[in-house]
């Protein structure tokens, strides 16, 4: 907990919610059949994914590259598709996540990319994304954060990859959890 200032986050057993009267919604009684776990993701993961698309201003016809196919990344891809993205590239190093995305998301606009397979190639993932989208994606969304990176160097490489991949004048949305500086840039 030292990285988060002693706050365990919204998925802890107990949580303190400042200004709860303004930012909590009660689940209606007619939805009693839903457990806490059923509705938990509505207020956390889905909201974060939608916010990622909002910050990136994902709109009709945009091309979107998303780093991280965990729950937030997967839902960000689905939100991007819902908002009318023409192509969504979902990047992760875990094949099972990409396979899940291929089964669950709209295959007409989805491209999955295993970052581990391309990491050792010259240009890495950025080069592969640029082969798919020669000018780069309109929007690059980072849904991974520092928890995923194996080393400080890996964190910096991943962040650089995002900024090198997005098209000139494109938009970068970061919802992954970062603390401190990445390549002298305060996240």
């Amino acid at each position: 907990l030292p990285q988060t200032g002693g706050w365990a986050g919204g998925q802890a057993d107990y949580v303190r919610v400042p200004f709860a009267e303004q930012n909590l919604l009660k689940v209606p009684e007619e939805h009693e059949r839903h457990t806490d776990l059923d509705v938990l993701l509505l207020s956390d993961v889905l909201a974060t994914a939608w916010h990622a698309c909002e910050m990136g201003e994902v709109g009709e016809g945009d091309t979107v590259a998303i780093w991280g196919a965990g729950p937030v990344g997967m839902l960000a891809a689905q939100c991007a598709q819902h908002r009318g993205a023409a192509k969504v590239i979902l990047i992760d190093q875990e094949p099972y996540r990409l396979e899940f995305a291929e089964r669950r998301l709209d295959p007409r606009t989805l491209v999955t990319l295993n970052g581990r397979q391309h990491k050792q190639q010259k240009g890495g993932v950025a080069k592969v994304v640029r082969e798919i989208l020669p000018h780069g994606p309109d929007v690059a969304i980072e849904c991974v954060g520092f928890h995923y990176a194996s080393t400080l160097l890996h964190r910096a490489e991943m962040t650089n990859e995002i900024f090198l991949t997005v098209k000139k004048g494109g938009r970068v949305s970061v919802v992954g959890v970062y603390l401190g500086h990445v390549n002298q840039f305060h996240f």
Side-chain angles (χ1 to χ4, degrees), residues 69-90:
V72 173
M74 198 100 47
L75 285 170
Q78 190 169 22
C79 290
Q81 289 179 328
H82 175 77
R83 293 168 72 112
K87 187 174 296 282
V88 176
I89 301 173
L90 188 58

Side-chain angles (χ1 to χ4, degrees), residues 104-116:
R104 300 293 180 145
L105 299 176
D106 187 344
R108 295 172 295 176
T109 59
L110 180 69
V111 175
T112 58
L113 184 58
N114 186 327
R116 189 179 317 248

